[in-house]
Amino acid sequence: MGSQSYYRDQDDDAHRALASYWVEPLNQLEGEEQVQVFLDAVEQLEASELGLLLESLPVSERRALWPHLPHEARVDVLVAMRVEARDTLLSVLEPAQMDQLLDDLDAESLIELADNLSEELVDQALARMDSQQRTWYRESQEYDEEQIGRYVDHDVVVLPPNARVAAALRMLRRYQSAFTDRAYVVNRKGVWLGEVTLHALLQAEPDTPVRHCLDDEVVPIPADTPVLEAADRIEHADMSMLPVTDEGGRLLGRMTVRLGMEIVREHYEGQLMASAGLDEEADLFLPVWRSAKRRALWLGINLLTALLAAWTIGLFEQTLSQVVALAVLMPIVASMGGIAGSQTLTLIIRGLALGQVTPGNALALCRKEIGVAVLNGIVWAAVIGAVTVLWFGSQALGGVIAGAIVINILVAALAGVVVPMVLDKLEIDPALSGSVILTTVTDVVGFFTFLGLGTAFLLG
Amino acid sequence: MGSQSYYRDQDDDAHRALASYWVEPLNQLEGEEQVQVFLDAVEQLEASELGLLLESLPVSERRALWPHLPHEARVDVLVAMRVEARDTLLSVLEPAQMDQLLDDLDAESLIELADNLSEELVDQALARMDSQQRTWYRESQEYDEEQIGRYVDHDVVVLPPNARVAAALRMLRRYQSAFTDRAYVVNRKGVWLGEVTLHALLQAEPDTPVRHCLDDEVVPIPADTPVLEAADRIEHADMSMLPVTDEGGRLLGRMTVRLGMEIVREHYEGQLMASAGLDEEADLFLPVWRSAKRRALWLGINLLTALLAAWTIGLFEQTLSQVVALAVLMPIVASMGGIAGSQTLTLIIRGLALGQVTPGNALALCRKEIGVAVLNGIVWAAVIGAVTVLWFGSQALGGVIAGAIVINILVAALAGVVVPMVLDKLEIDPALSGSVILTTVTDVVGFFTFLGLGTAFLLG
């Protein structure tokens, strides 16, 4: 600040509000200086950015800086962090610090942190809450991690239908939270009747009962709705918040568009990570040993599929020893199939996520994707056939590779449509295993058709 | 409805509000019946869901149903659709219909649709707007597609600092849009001074000037901020809307959390699609011919990398003809490297997107990833070496493949950190080309070390 113009400062301010601004200085400094910069960062950042920042530091730095984080910010920062990164801090907390932390937990933060805490600690935290918070926590546990009921928040004004407009306005005025421009109306049993907006209240006479200003067009989200569907609902409804009700129609709380944004982000991050056999909650700086162990499973699964491909090749050892060019060219066949298939797969996975792909249009999609495969298969078979003839001077070899390419790209397109749809039907996330299954198919089919055609047409 | 219980109906209602509910019936019906179901869907769905629904139908059905969509919904539905899918409708619109459409465009919808319209049509639409809308359109064009200034909305109450609280409340009351629980205060030159919330207004005396209720802690988003960074800002600020200002500090409009949600979704969808060489705006039902053409480029790039791998293998034809087992096993070496590398790559790409990975911690990350690679390299080298000895009965071959695996997994880890960071530095999206570059490295290095070691230790 200081000598520079106002607008440069404003720009700088915007950057200082982001975690990434602080990563480099914190990594370069040590000791007292580092602590000082960290305290600056704490001043500038919201809890969610502070969580990101701590995740961006190696575990030792994280642990060294943690005690300098003000007590009142700790719960929010921990909630904002990924499960594994959070654990690097919680697992070394001294008893007194843990004690303080348990004191600060409410229902919502406990729901987030429960995965990191022993059952005993969860019970201790519950024992310290008031009965309202305890009830909210218990209600949330009725739903699993994939259902919106687990994550409702209770930061909402609830009114009986006979409350007067003036009283409703008084209550809303006292509320100072994000997105509170409406109140929910429930009957004596807690069943949701409708909502009243601040706008409607401001236009009504003070002594009107709120039931006369009710907007009953809002459809509540059932608490057992999958989180991603709930996020879709709130995005498409263009509302800042929607009520969530249990199966008896009782109001449990609200879902905000902010939560929807988090859900969407975590979903897609989860898909990107899953496509490499990783966990969305993974810590960037997970210790080497645990990180290696975690990733080993995916490498093991891949080894099995690679062995299957090798075994397929092994069937043709005899042929390979006579026509070495087949060994040189065979990765091309497998890889073209893999790429063409993954294009179809990706399109279908996205369509499934958006709700665009259903059994109702599967056939039309198959037809289209096979059409694309026929066209691209023929074009690339011709190109690769020609390259082969030029390279190895054998027309027969060119014909064999061209035939194998056409077949493999066709099979890849079919697998690209069928594999994710079947996985989805079986309620297995196609983003996780779709690509492994697909490339196994295209490897095995690619090697088998190429070497098989080679055996049939090129030997003696 | 009817005989079933209330709560089943509510559930059904929730589903009817989603596009996917309607895909199957619309695909199965024809003629008059189909139109009837479509009209039901129009009644139940928001514009954004209707857009999704039209995208889920083959092009011919889309075009057949389009004329049954009420005129007043058309612009919003088109805006909600992806560029390519939208084009399947706009490109066959009759002149009279296009004329009507141009009449209905405001600045915001024209910004969205401009990509699909000829320059002439854009000019016609501009000519029909009032001068305020025209100014807003022109302002948005000062920023490119990746900057938030392009997408600000103007649905916001703007007040001078001397406006009285009573007048401000009157204006806010008249406004009935999503997320309008605050007004923005600007000086005579339009420079942003701060915001006043409805809550603050309700607590102040009616004749106080609004400048006394100003919250000046809100930091506006500069209009040239990248959209994804702006979405981060609004998510972490936990606000329903944030002001967007130009470089002179003038208020351009606002960004809502809803827009942030769209940006995040489109970003991740774009990444998923890009990883298969596809475009986020791609139409699920793009005609076969155009779809094949579009995907051919990616297949061509892949072919070049596959040819490079084949050429590497070709260097060792002599060796392969003597030790066929090398041909059988070589895909395993390449594939283990590819998988290990893509795990590192994915972690780094996510870290870059979150702002967690910066030059400041690159070294620490490299160290960690190499540690993981050493561990997993040794473990899997031992496993694969043992399998090879059992399969082919050759200890030397087992040693050769084990050595190649260790080297390739190490190189893969290094490439997994370095490739995305260099691409990011060059402002190339690592999600698009990172994986192609990485697997080219692991294929070439894998084949070269395995066959090279084989040539050195297994011949003669």
Side-chain angles (χ1 to χ4, degrees):
Chain A
M1 310 251 164
S3 67
Q4 290 181 314
S5 84
Y6 170 65
Y7 301 109
R8 280 209 60 77
D9 287 351
Q10 190 191 38
D11 233 51
D12 197 44
D13 271 4
H15 283 112
R16 291 161 66 87
L18 293 171
S20 53
Y21 178 91
W22 301 92
V23 174
E24 196 153 354
L26 282 176
N27 259 300
Q28 278 164 357
L29 298 173
E30 280 178 11
E32 202 41 53
E33 282 183 319
Q34 193 192 38
V35 170
Q36 207 46 57
V37 170
F38 181 65
L39 293 176
D40 281 356
V42 169
E43 197 130 308
Q44 298 287 333
L45 299 177
E46 302 285 332
S48 53
E49 289 283 348
L50 272 173
L52 265 183
L53 177 58
L54 286 174
E55 288 180 0
S56 311
L57 302 174
V59 176
S60 56
E61 317 273 302
R62 253 181 233 166
R63 288 180 176 161
L65 292 171
W66 173 257
H68 301 283
L69 190 67
H71 280 287
E72 60 278 13
R74 291 186 180 180
V75 168
D76 289 344
V77 170
L78 283 172
V79 165
M81 292 175 76
R82 263 154 263 269
V83 174
E84 280 188 7
R86 193 189 282 159
D87 213 48
T88 61
L89 296 172
L90 280 173
S91 60
V92 297
L93 228 51
E94 282 163 30
Q97 289 199 14
M98 179 59 89
D99 201 63
Q100 163 104 50
L101 199 74
L102 292 179
D103 270 342
D104 293 344
L105 291 176
D106 60 3
E108 278 167 41
S109 46
L110 183 60
I111 291 162
E112 285 295 325
L113 299 185
D115 282 348
N116 298 91
L117 300 175
S118 67
E119 239 176 85
E120 202 193 318
L121 288 173
V122 170
D123 286 340
Q124 280 187 36
L126 282 173
R128 298 180 196 192
M129 284 178 193
D130 64 35
S131 72
Q132 175 65 83
Q133 294 283 337
R134 214 152 37 225
T135 308
W136 283 341
Y137 181 79
R138 297 249 155 86
E139 276 177 359
S140 84
Q141 302 301 304
E142 300 283 309
Y143 302 95
D144 68 37
E145 292 186 354
E146 288 301 309
Q147 296 178 322
I148 195 64
R150 182 106 166 191
Y151 308 102
V152 294
D153 85 55
H154 304 279
D155 214 0
V156 58
V157 176
V158 180
L159 303 167
N162 293 326
R164 308 280 151 171
V165 163
L169 277 173
R170 255 199 320 277
M171 286 192 68
L172 275 173
R173 243 170 257 181
R174 245 182 279 140
Y175 247 72
Q176 191 57 288
S177 108
F179 318 129
T180 314
D181 56 349
R182 57 200 67 217
Y184 291 154
V185 179
V186 302
N187 71 11
R188 219 172 299 170
K189 288 179 177 155
V191 173
W192 194 80
L193 299 175
E195 64 171 39
V196 285
T197 64
L198 202 41
H199 282 108
L201 291 172
L202 287 171
Q203 267 148 1
E205 294 298 318
D207 60 348
T208 322
V210 292
R211 64 168 189 276
H212 293 317
C213 332
L214 219 54
D215 177 353
D216 52 5
E217 290 217 341
V218 176
V219 181
I221 305 177
D224 58 358
T225 305
V227 288
L228 201 62
E229 196 180 311
D232 278 354
R233 283 275 312 276
I234 205 162
E235 184 177 348
H236 291 303
D238 205 2
M239 302 274 285
S240 54
M241 55 195 260
L242 281 177
V244 178
T245 52
D246 71 11
E247 53 176 11
R250 268 189 349 113
L251 178 72
L252 292 179
R254 66 170 185 172
M255 170 189 184
T256 62
V257 66
R258 158 79 195 264
L259 175 61
M261 201 164 165
E262 265 180 55
I263 289 169
V264 167
R265 194 187 280 275
E266 279 177 19
H267 167 74
Y268 281 105
E269 270 188 19
Q271 290 222 317
L272 282 172
M273 297 290 273
S275 69
L278 300 170
D279 189 324
E280 202 275 311
E281 297 291 344
D283 183 357
L284 198 57
F285 283 105
L286 189 67
V288 168
W289 174 251
R290 287 179 57 202
S291 192
K293 218 170 90 185
R294 193 71 59 82
R295 295 194 206 166
L297 175 67
W298 194 246
L299 286 162
I301 293 170
N302 176 68
L303 177 58
L304 289 180
T305 76
L307 282 171
L308 191 63
W311 175 79
T312 311
I313 300 169
L315 298 176
F316 300 95
E317 258 188 86
Q318 192 59 35
T319 310
L320 283 167
S321 69
Q322 289 179 51
V323 192
V324 176
L326 290 173
V328 175
L329 295 170
M330 65 187 187
I332 297 178
V333 180
S335 134
M336 290 301 277
I339 294 290
S342 76
Q343 292 189 316
T344 303
L345 180 77
T346 305
L347 202 70
I348 301 295
I349 288 179
R350 184 185 67 155
L352 284 167
L354 291 174
Q356 285 184 320
V357 171
T358 77
N361 55 13
L363 209 67
L365 279 168
C366 263
R367 264 201 303 268
K368 181 213 145 196
E369 288 299 318
I370 286 175
V372 174
V374 168
L375 270 180
N376 266 330
I378 289 172
V379 169
W380 292 107
V383 172
I384 294 165
V387 170
T388 300
V389 172
L390 288 175
W391 188 351
F392 292 94
S394 157
Q395 295 204 339
L397 186 58
V400 163
I401 199 170
I405 293 272
V406 169
I407 293 171
N408 204 24
I409 288 186
L410 265 176
V411 170
L414 252 180
V417 178
V418 172
V419 167
M421 294 203 67
V422 169
L423 287 174
D424 190 62
K425 197 92 192 163
L426 301 174
E427 299 191 7
I428 300 170
D429 183 358
L432 174 61
S433 43
S435 148
V436 179
I437 297 175
L438 181 96
T439 53
T440 305
V441 169
T442 52
D443 278 1
V444 169
V445 170
F447 291 135
F448 190 86
T449 48
F450 182 48
L451 299 177
L453 288 173
T455 306
F457 293 105
L458 299 177
L459 288 193
Chain B
M1 311 253 162
S3 68
Q4 291 181 313
S5 83
Y6 169 66
Y7 301 109
R8 279 209 60 78
D9 287 350
Q10 189 191 38
D11 233 51
D12 197 44
D13 270 4
H15 282 112
R16 290 160 66 89
L18 293 171
S20 53
Y21 179 90
W22 301 92
V23 174
E24 195 153 356
L26 283 175
N27 258 302
Q28 278 163 357
L29 297 173
E30 280 179 9
E32 202 44 51
E33 281 181 319
Q34 194 192 36
V35 171
Q36 207 47 56
V37 170
F38 181 66
L39 293 176
D40 281 355
V42 169
E43 195 129 311
Q44 298 287 334
L45 299 178
E46 303 286 331
S48 54
E49 289 283 346
L50 272 172
L52 265 184
L53 178 58
L54 285 173
E55 288 180 1
S56 313
L57 301 175
V59 176
S60 56
E61 317 273 302
R62 253 181 233 166
R63 288 180 175 158
L65 291 172
W66 173 257
H68 301 283
L69 190 67
H71 281 287
E72 62 278 12
R74 290 187 182 181
V75 169
D76 289 344
V77 169
L78 282 173
V79 164
M81 290 175 77
R82 261 154 264 267
V83 174
E84 281 189 7
R86 193 190 280 159
D87 212 50
T88 60
L89 296 171
L90 281 173
S91 61
V92 296
L93 229 52
E94 283 163 28
Q97 288 197 14
M98 179 58 90
D99 201 61
Q100 163 103 52
L101 200 73
L102 293 180
D103 271 342
D104 294 344
L105 292 176
D106 59 4
E108 278 167 40
S109 46
L110 182 59
I111 291 163
E112 286 294 324
L113 299 186
D115 282 347
N116 298 90
L117 300 174
S118 67
E119 241 174 85
E120 201 193 319
L121 288 174
V122 171
D123 287 340
Q124 280 187 37
L126 281 173
R128 298 179 196 192
M129 283 178 195
D130 64 35
S131 72
Q132 174 65 84
Q133 295 282 336
R134 214 154 34 227
T135 308
W136 284 340
Y137 180 80
R138 297 248 155 86
E139 277 177 358
S140 85
Q141 302 301 304
E142 300 282 309
Y143 302 94
D144 68 36
E145 292 186 354
E146 287 302 309
Q147 296 176 322
I148 194 65
R150 182 105 166 192
Y151 308 101
V152 294
D153 86 55
H154 304 278
D155 214 358
V156 58
V157 176
V158 179
L159 302 167
N162 294 325
R164 307 281 150 170
V165 163
L169 278 172
R170 255 198 321 278
M171 286 191 67
L172 276 172
R173 243 170 257 181
R174 245 182 278 140
Y175 247 72
Q176 192 55 290
S177 107
F179 318 127
T180 314
D181 56 350
R182 57 200 67 217
Y184 291 155
V185 179
V186 302
N187 71 12
R188 220 173 296 170
K189 289 180 175 154
V191 172
W192 194 80
L193 299 176
E195 65 171 38
V196 284
T197 63
L198 200 40
H199 282 107
L201 291 172
L202 287 171
Q203 267 148 359
E205 293 298 318
D207 59 349
T208 321
V210 292
R211 64 169 188 277
H212 293 317
C213 332
L214 219 54
D215 177 353
D216 52 6
E217 290 217 341
V218 175
V219 182
I221 305 178
D224 58 359
T225 304
V227 289
L228 201 62
E229 197 181 310
D232 277 355
R233 282 275 313 277
I234 205 163
E235 183 178 348
H236 292 303
D238 205 3
M239 303 273 286
S240 54
M241 55 196 261
L242 280 176
V244 178
T245 52
D246 70 11
E247 52 175 13
R250 268 189 350 111
L251 178 72
L252 292 179
R254 65 170 185 172
M255 171 190 185
T256 62
V257 66
R258 159 76 195 266
L259 175 60
M261 201 163 165
E262 264 180 56
I263 289 169
V264 167
R265 194 187 280 275
E266 278 177 20
H267 167 73
Y268 281 105
E269 271 188 18
Q271 290 222 318
L272 282 172
M273 298 290 273
S275 69
L278 300 169
D279 189 324
E280 201 277 311
E281 298 290 344
D283 183 357
L284 198 60
F285 284 104
L286 190 67
V288 168
W289 175 250
R290 287 180 55 203
S291 192
K293 218 170 89 186
R294 193 69 61 81
R295 296 194 207 165
L297 175 66
W298 195 245
L299 286 162
I301 292 171
N302 176 67
L303 177 58
L304 290 180
T305 77
L307 281 171
L308 190 63
W311 174 80
T312 311
I313 300 170
L315 298 176
F316 300 94
E317 257 187 87
Q318 193 58 35
T319 310
L320 282 168
S321 68
Q322 289 178 51
V323 193
V324 175
L326 290 172
V328 175
L329 295 170
M330 64 188 188
I332 297 178
V333 180
S335 132
M336 290 301 276
I339 294 290
S342 75
Q343 292 190 316
T344 303
L345 180 78
T346 305
L347 201 70
I348 301 296
I349 288 179
R350 184 186 68 155
L352 284 167
L354 291 175
Q356 286 184 318
V357 172
T358 78
N361 54 13
L363 210 67
L365 279 168
C366 263
R367 264 201 302 269
K368 181 210 145 196
E369 288 300 317
I370 286 175
V372 175
V374 168
L375 269 180
N376 266 329
I378 289 172
V379 169
W380 293 106
V383 171
I384 295 165
V387 170
T388 301
V389 172
L390 287 175
W391 188 353
F392 291 94
S394 156
Q395 295 201 341
L397 186 59
V400 163
I401 198 169
I405 293 272
V406 169
I407 293 171
N408 204 25
I409 288 186
L410 265 176
V411 170
L414 253 180
V417 178
V418 173
V419 166
M421 294 202 69
V422 169
L423 288 173
D424 190 63
K425 196 90 193 166
L426 301 173
E427 298 191 9
I428 300 170
D429 183 358
L432 174 60
S433 43
S435 150
V436 179
I437 297 175
L438 180 96
T439 52
T440 306
V441 170
T442 51
D443 277 1
V444 169
V445 171
F447 291 136
F448 190 85
T449 48
F450 183 49
L451 299 177
L453 289 173
T455 306
F457 294 104
L458 299 177
L459 288 193

